[in-house]
Each structure stands twice: as structure tokens, then as C-alpha cells.
Amino acid sequence: MDPTRKVNLHRFPSLRFARFDRDFLLQKKNEPFSIKMRTRRIAAIALIFSPTTTARNNYRKGYPFLHRHHTLLFHTTQFSTNPSPTDVIAISNRKQLQKLLLEKSKTGFHKLEEALSLFRQMARFRPLPSVIDFTQLLTAVAKMKEYSSVISLYKEIRELGIPINEYTLNVLINCFCRLNQGDFGFAILGIFYKCGYTPDVATFTTLINGYVLEGKTSEAVNLFIRLIKYGDIEPNEITYGTIMKGLCKVGDTTMAIRLLRNMQQCNYRPDVVMYSTIIDNLCKDGNIDDALGLLSEMREWDIMPDVVTYSSLVDGLCKSGRVKDATGILNDMTERNIFPDAVTFSMLIDALCKEGRTKEAEAILEIMIRRGEKPNVITYSALMDGYCLQGQMKKAKEVFNSLVDKGLEHNIRSYNILINGFCNKMNIGEAMDLFREMSRKGLKPTTSTYNTLLKGLLHARRCDAADHIFHEMICNGQNPDILTYSILLDGFFKNQKIGKAVEMFRSMQDQGIVPDSFIYSIVINGMCKAGKIEDARKVFSTFLAKGLKPDVKIYTTMISGLCKAALLDEAEELLLQMEKNGCPPNSVTYNIIVRAFLEKGAGPKLEIVLQEMINRSFSPDARTMSILVGLLKDDVQGMGRSLDASTIALGDAQSPWGVASGAIVGHLLATSIAILGGGFLANYISEKLVGIQEQQRVMPNFIT
């Protein structure tokens, strides 16, 4: 392709923005600026960067080219070119200047003042340094991420009458894009054509990256597709990598992989960064096997994975519970002379500790130290968490105390882990001491810290202390979240503080926090257990009135409350209602209502519910089975057919529903015998028992 070939602007509507085409402005209807506003913005760019003295002077006088609420970033900064006795960098000749600029354009300056000092000296050179020298200076400042300063320096360069080239303009576009001012970046294209330059692939890649940085990935993809479709600019590896980064950023991993394949078909060689970006996204999406497939593909292409690639895989495998595979990846790294860093080691240690394998985690920590990788506070926090999960609070506290000796500072996470550990061990005193200590050290407790402490206090039945901590949380500027209120509601209800729980339920709604299904289930369950079935009904009705759809937990909670209040007809009606509403009952629901019918002796209804339960392949829980076995034993003994308890237990182990069915049918029929008597019914019983035995032989075992 001819690099001097002009870009066909008619094929690129976005580029008409650079030529101030009013038709393009009319097309941009989705932007929150009026046509008049756009015209002013474009005019400001054209005037500010115009080489004409009149335009520049007008701008310097402060004529309002822009709307009063939209000020250019570089309007407020001016750099003096007068001699300064405090120049940080002293340059004696051009050769020294060029050597320094070449070095700084690659590394950047340590301080902005160094760059400004050098610029002042360059401005005093006669003749002035070339545009290449000034562009290298701008590049060095851009590497410091001082993008506004680059734009201001560019304006000073134009004031000095220094001509510009396409590299200078590319640096300027990059700075606008980095400042999320992509519109200004496109406007600079107008200067390209005015100066007779042709934007190249670097220019368009920079603009695409600007879209990505602003979160406008779809616009970036559209521009990229146009470049490929019309062939005016041929994308390179950096362009492909930029688009892939944007796609992965918005979670479109599938499109990123398609782009990777397209790149390979166009005879471009993907690099390790592209593969690592996609592998990281696949791991975050849980597609670990696909990520491992890309790792194998990298090796086939002789692309060496780096520590970032392996770290993403280790993290993904650990979070998927495949710690053994993660260890294998770690071994593979070392065999290929790619040594894990502190991040990789910490991921593996954290995963092992979460599985309770602290001994193995300690071994990994020793390997890490032997390899010269210094564990950080994240590493030791993971180990502390492992000890806390196993209840080894002494070891956890020892690790915590050793951080200072290792030159590490405690952070919020390390305190939270230890506070949570002590709360779980019901050692509230130690937890409170740590809570106060972190405040003394200037660490501000987070919402997570307060939630952990509130849960521990309520579990220890210290409701007043929990209430005090809650108000302290608000006073310290930490807003309670929905988890905070769920902890408080659950704790107050379990401690029979019904009034306080109701107060919290109202308070959270006053604060604008909308209760979710979990909150409603806590409140309904608490009301039911407190015997306030009418209040529970009202809360349930409010839940439905809000248009929310109850889940199986809420239905089951309400059914349980109705059963405890001996309102079995309502419980049965709600059971049918949840089925109609597309929320089928689960095993817990059926066990609750079966027990209620058993205790009341509602024979016919019980037989129907039991049959539904059997049809759904649900098993009786321990409480239900205990009642059933007791009824079977009592009724069969009453009929004169005493059964050995060991036989019942054996039947329970082999086929619990055989026993359950026998208990129900035997109970119902035996009751009928006692009332009616007669040989006919006795024969009927015998037939039923034979049927039960047949059923017992074919019924599958649901309890393993």
C-alpha cells in the first residue's frame, strides 16, 4: 500500500469532524452537545492552533470561543521562556541537548519542573532547536502522564514559530485521547491536512485507543472495521492489540478471539500481550479450559507465555477450585525458567488456605522466600485467613504481629481477617481490641469491618453493644449497606429483640435501601418464630404488592409459619399457589408440611402431599423420618403385628420411602381397622402391605 495515499474522507464520516463539516455534526445526534456547541468547540481548536497571529492573539486575550461551562484544559497554564536562575537541568550545547532528549523521550523526566527547565533553555537557543527536538521533549513529558502540560507546551512551541510534523501531531492527539477528549483528538486531523500531512496507522490507532479509554468500544470497533474494509490504512499489530484490549475491557471475549483469528489469517503474528489479555478474560469468565487451550496454542506458535499469562491461569484455576492444576501450572513455569512473582505465589497460597491446606501453603511460602520473592502483606493476610478458617487464632495472631518485624504495615484487610477470626471463635474482647487499635493507627474501618463486628456481637447476644457500634458506624461516615441490615435484622430477631428488628427494617427503607428477597425472608421468618403470624402476613403481602416475585425460600418460610400456627388450610393453599406462580416447592417445603399434617393427623390430605413428594423424588429429612417410624411402630404393634426395630432401620437404610409409605398407609389403614373392623378391610390391608413390599423393592435409594 502506498503510504502517501490520501485517506478518502467520504468513507470515514468520523474524519469530517476534523474538517469541520457541518453535515457530520448533524449526524452526531447521540452526543449531548448541540450543533452550536460543537461548532464552538471546533472553532476553538482551529483558532488556538492556527499559525496566524490574529487568531492566537484573540485566544490569548480570552475571547470566549467556548461555552462558559467547557474550558480547554490548557487554557490555564502558561510557561515562561525567559531566563531562569533556577533551571534544574543545565545544557551547554546542542549535542548534549540532543543526547538528553533522546534519553528522556524513552524514559521520561523524574519531575515536571525538569522538563519545563529544559524547555525554557531550548527556547533561548539561537537558532532554535528543530521540531524533532521539541517533539522528543513533548514525548518525554507525555510519558510522565502530564498530558495537559504537553498541550500547553505545544501551544508555546507554536508561539515560537517552530514548524510541526506528523509526529508532533500524533503526540498531541494521544494526549487529548488520554484526557478523554477524543473529539479534540479528531479535530487535530484537520491540522494534518492543512499542513499537507497524511494520518498514518499510528494516528488512527491512537484515536481508536482514545475511544477505548472513554469506554466507547463500539465506536472503536466501527472505525477499525472501516479501516480494514476500505483499505485506506492497514492496521498493524498494535491496532489489533488495542481493539482486543477494548473488547476484553467490556467483556466481549468471543469477539476478541474472532479478532485474534482474523489477525492470524491476515498473516499477523499475535504477541504475548494479546494472548495474555484474552486468557485473563477467559479465566475471569470461568472458561478455564478455553484459556488453557490458548496457552497450548501460544506454545505451538512459539510465543513464550510470561508471568502475567501464568498468573491469570493460576488465579482462574484457584478460583475454580482446581488448586492441583494451579500447582501444575506453577511447576510448568519454573521448568520453563519463568519464575512466579509475589502476586502468583500469593494467589496459590490464598487458594490452599481457603481449602484448609495451610501446611502446603506454608511450604509454598518457604519456596517463595528461597527464590528471592519477598512476601507482602497480601501474602501473609492469605495465610492468616487460612489459620482463622481452621480456628488456629494463636498462629494467625503470630503472623499478624510478625508483619511489623518484616517491615510491612498492617492494612484494613489484615485487621478484618483477624477480627472475623476472633468473632467466629466468640472471642469478642480480642476482636474489639483490634477494632480500637486499627482506629488508633489511623486506619478507617470499612463497612466490611463493621459488618464483621456486628455479626460477632449479635451472635454473642450483645445486642446493646451491636446497636452502639451501628450508630458509631454512621457517625464515622460509613454508610450501612444491605448486608449490614440483613445482619442486624437476623441478629435482633434471633435474640428476640422484635421491636428493634422492626425499627431497623423501617430505618433501612427510610434510608432508601430497598429490601431484597433475602431481607424479606429474614423478617417473615423472624415474625413467624415470634408468633406474630399476622405481622408476617402483612410483610408477605407488602412483598407481593411491590411486584416482587417470592422465591422458594420465602414461600417455605411463610408456609412454615402458617404450619406452626396450625393454619394448615392456608399452608396448603400457599403450596398450590407457589406451584402456579412458577416456583415449585423443594424438599424442605414438603418436609415441613408433611410434618404438620402428621402432627395434626390430617390423613387424606397427608396421603396426597406424600404422593406428590414421592413423585418429585424428594426424601424425608431426619425429623420427618423419626415421626414416620414412630407412627409405624405404634400402629403395627396396635394391630398385633409387632415389627422389630432393626428391620425398620434396615428398611430405612435401603429404601426410606418404602418405610415412609408403609408408615403412612399402615397408620391410616390401622386407624380404619380400629374404627370399622371386619374381615374385608383386613384383607384390604394385606393387599396394601403386599403392594408396599413390591414398591419397596423397586423404589430407588434417595439417601446416600
Side-chain angles (χ1 to χ4, degrees):
M1 185 182 124
D2 184 0
T4 63
R5 182 177 172 186
K6 295 287 185 182
V7 176
N8 186 345
L9 293 180
H10 294 290
R11 295 178 178 176
F12 293 90
S14 299
L15 303 190
R16 295 180 193 166
F17 186 80
R19 296 185 69 180
F20 322 130
D21 189 333
R22 191 172 182 275
D23 291 335
F24 174 65
L25 297 178
L26 292 171
Q27 293 174 10
K28 303 275 283 187
K29 293 179 181 178
N30 61 326
E31 296 288 342
F33 296 106
S34 65
I35 295 173
K36 186 176 181 181
M37 185 65 229
R38 288 186 171 282
T39 307
R40 284 180 175 177
R41 291 183 71 178
I42 295 168
I45 285 287
L47 288 168
I48 292 164
F49 294 109
S50 172
T52 62
T53 305
T54 303
R56 290 200 307 271
N57 288 341
N58 283 344
Y59 171 72
R60 294 188 70 178
K61 290 176 184 177
Y63 287 174
F65 296 123
L66 297 181
H67 191 274
R68 61 180 178 174
H69 296 303
H70 296 273
T71 306
L72 285 177
L73 295 169
F74 46 85
H75 186 199
T76 58
T77 308
Q78 294 290 330
F79 300 113
S80 172
T81 57
N82 295 327
S84 171
T86 59
D87 283 337
V88 179
I89 298 179
I91 298 297
S92 58
N93 56 63
R94 291 180 184 274
K95 188 174 182 180
Q96 185 182 359
L97 171 67
Q98 290 170 351
K99 182 180 178 181
L100 179 64
L101 287 171
L102 181 62
E103 176 191 341
K104 295 300 181 182
S105 65
K106 297 176 182 178
T107 62
F109 291 92
H110 294 295
K111 297 180 180 179
L112 178 60
E113 183 54 37
E114 294 178 1
L116 302 183
S117 171
L118 185 58
F119 177 78
R120 286 192 292 265
Q121 293 180 72
M122 291 172 67
R124 297 196 296 268
F125 272 59
R126 291 296 180 273
L128 288 166
S130 69
V131 64
I132 297 174
D133 297 329
F134 279 106
T135 301
Q136 286 179 329
L137 178 67
L138 296 180
T139 302
V141 177
K143 284 186 180 295
M144 301 170 65
K145 300 183 180 180
E146 296 285 350
Y147 306 118
S148 296
S149 298
V150 172
I151 298 170
S152 299
L153 284 172
Y154 173 85
K155 183 175 179 294
E156 293 295 326
I157 290 171
R158 299 299 283 145
E159 289 285 348
L160 291 170
I162 303 293
I164 56 174
N165 60 20
E166 60 267 44
Y167 300 106
T168 317
L169 295 175
N170 280 343
V171 172
L172 193 62
I173 289 174
N174 179 53
C175 291
F176 276 123
C177 290
R178 295 283 181 177
L179 292 167
N180 291 331
Q181 295 285 339
D183 284 352
F184 287 153
F186 272 101
I188 300 301
L189 291 175
I191 303 176
F192 266 90
Y193 297 109
K194 187 172 183 179
C195 296
Y197 300 129
T198 302
D200 58 10
V201 65
T203 310
F204 285 104
T205 300
T206 303
L207 290 167
I208 287 172
N209 189 51
Y211 274 140
V212 170
L213 292 173
E214 291 186 55
K216 299 178 180 179
T217 305
S218 59
E219 286 91 335
V221 172
N222 289 337
L223 179 56
F224 177 78
I225 290 172
R226 289 188 190 124
L227 292 175
I228 294 177
K229 183 176 180 180
Y230 297 111
D232 292 283
I233 298 292
E234 186 175 350
N236 59 16
E237 291 89 341
I238 300 175
T239 318
Y240 275 103
T242 303
I243 287 290
M244 285 182 196
K245 179 182 70 175
L247 290 169
C248 290
K249 189 177 178 181
V250 298
D252 196 348
T253 315
T254 303
M255 186 66 177
I257 294 174
R258 287 174 57 189
L259 192 63
L260 182 73
R261 302 302 176 219
N262 177 269
M263 183 180 181
Q264 292 166 333
Q265 290 170 5
C266 295
N267 296 321
Y268 284 111
R269 179 183 173 85
D271 61 15
V272 63
V273 175
M274 298 176 193
Y275 272 107
S276 297
T277 303
I278 296 175
I279 285 173
D280 183 61
N281 249 49
L282 286 170
C283 290
K284 288 176 180 176
D285 294 340
N287 299 319
I288 309 299
D289 291 331
D290 291 338
L292 291 170
L294 281 184
L295 178 68
S296 300
E297 183 180 305
M298 289 177 71
R299 292 167 181 164
E300 291 173 6
W301 281 70
D302 290 328
I303 299 171
M304 181 65 69
D306 59 13
V307 66
V308 176
T309 318
Y310 281 111
S311 293
S312 296
L313 287 165
V314 169
D315 186 45
L317 288 165
C318 289
K319 288 178 178 177
S320 299
R322 297 168 60 176
V323 181
K324 185 177 180 180
D325 292 335
T327 307
I329 289 289
L330 200 69
N331 293 332
D332 183 67
M333 286 179 71
T334 54
E335 288 173 5
R336 297 174 185 273
N337 293 322
I338 301 170
F339 299 106
D341 57 11
V343 175
T344 316
F345 277 116
S346 298
M347 289 174 181
L348 190 57
I349 289 171
D350 183 59
L352 289 168
C353 287
K354 280 183 169 58
E355 290 193 353
R357 297 158 63 180
T358 51
K359 292 293 183 183
E360 294 174 59
E362 290 169 355
I364 294 293
L365 181 64
E366 291 178 7
I367 294 171
M368 177 181 180
I369 295 171
R370 284 202 304 268
R371 289 189 176 277
E373 287 293 335
K374 188 177 180 182
N376 54 29
V377 67
I378 298 173
T379 316
Y380 286 112
S381 294
L383 192 60
M384 284 168 49
D385 194 31
Y387 288 138
C388 289
L389 289 172
Q390 291 188 317
Q392 300 180 36
M393 296 309 301
K394 184 178 179 181
K395 282 190 174 183
K397 191 69 182 287
E398 287 174 358
V399 173
F400 180 82
N401 292 333
S402 70
L403 292 182
V404 177
D405 297 334
K406 293 178 171 64
L408 300 172
E409 293 184 2
H410 300 128
N411 59 13
I412 291 292
R413 174 167 166 72
S414 58
Y415 271 104
N416 284 352
I417 288 170
L418 211 54
I419 289 172
N420 183 60
F422 279 119
C423 284
N424 288 337
K425 293 290 287 184
M426 298 295 289
N427 193 340
I428 306 301
E430 283 279 2
M432 288 297 297
D433 289 343
L434 286 166
F435 178 74
R436 298 304 177 196
E437 179 185 307
M438 67 187 295
S439 299
R440 289 195 300 270
K441 289 187 175 181
L443 294 172
K444 187 176 181 180
T446 62
T447 301
S448 178
T449 314
Y450 283 108
N451 288 347
T452 301
L453 198 56
L454 287 170
K455 187 176 180 180
L457 287 167
L458 289 167
H459 189 57
R461 308 183 70 83
R462 295 175 59 177
C463 297
D464 291 338
D467 192 41
H468 175 75
I469 290 294
F470 175 69
H471 286 95
E472 180 181 318
M473 173 185 185
I474 297 172
C475 292
N476 289 339
Q478 287 293 340
N479 295 322
D481 57 14
I482 196 165
L483 178 59
T484 312
Y485 282 106
S486 69
I487 290 168
L488 290 167
L489 287 168
D490 186 58
F492 284 135
F493 273 122
K494 286 179 177 177
N495 286 289
Q496 289 81 48
K497 302 289 184 181
I498 311 302
K500 196 67 183 175
V502 172
E503 179 188 328
M504 283 295 170
F505 185 58
R506 291 172 181 165
S507 173
M508 70 175 293
Q509 294 176 80
D510 293 339
Q511 296 298 321
I513 299 177
V514 180
D516 59 9
S517 297
F518 184 65
I519 293 289
Y520 274 106
S521 66
I522 290 173
V523 176
I524 292 170
N525 185 54
M527 294 292 188
C528 290
K529 286 186 175 179
K532 297 181 177 294
I533 190 65
E534 289 301 323
D535 291 330
R537 278 174 172 164
K538 290 177 183 178
V539 174
F540 185 72
S541 298
T542 302
F543 179 81
L544 297 176
K546 289 179 179 290
L548 300 172
K549 188 176 181 180
D551 58 13
V552 67
K553 185 174 182 180
I554 290 183
Y555 273 119
T556 303
T557 302
M558 194 65 211
I559 288 173
S560 177
L562 292 169
C563 288
K564 287 178 182 177
L567 300 171
L568 297 191
D569 290 339
E570 289 188 42
E572 185 183 10
E573 184 181 341
L574 194 57
L575 182 72
L576 296 174
Q577 182 184 331
M578 68 185 292
E579 186 79 49
K580 290 178 182 177
N581 292 339
C583 182
N586 61 14
S587 178
V588 178
T589 318
Y590 274 111
N591 273 285
I592 287 171
I593 203 161
V594 164
R595 285 197 298 271
F597 281 144
L598 282 171
E599 289 167 358
K600 188 179 180 182
K605 290 184 178 180
L606 174 60
E607 196 169 4
I608 294 171
V609 173
L610 180 63
Q611 189 59 52
E612 290 179 5
M613 194 173 179
I614 293 172
N615 293 340
R616 294 176 187 269
S617 301
F618 291 137
S619 300
D621 60 19
R623 287 180 60 192
T624 307
M625 182 58 68
S626 175
I627 296 172
L628 290 172
V629 171
L631 287 172
L632 177 61
K633 183 177 179 180
D634 293 342
D635 289 336
V636 172
Q637 284 177 346
M639 292 167 56
R641 293 183 177 182
S642 178
L643 297 178
D644 188 80
S646 61
T647 305
I648 297 174
L650 179 60
D652 182 17
Q654 292 179 345
S655 179
W657 272 118
V659 177
S661 302
I664 292 299
V665 177
H667 173 64
L668 295 175
L669 296 176
T671 303
S672 299
I673 292 171
I675 297 173
L676 300 175
F680 172 78
L681 197 53
N683 292 333
Y684 178 73
I685 294 172
S686 299
E687 292 172 3
K688 278 285 185 181
L689 290 174
V690 170
I692 292 169
Q693 291 170 356
E694 289 297 322
Q695 184 185 22
Q696 193 169 10
R697 282 196 291 268
V698 299
M699 185 65 68
N701 182 14
F702 293 111
I703 298 180
T704 58

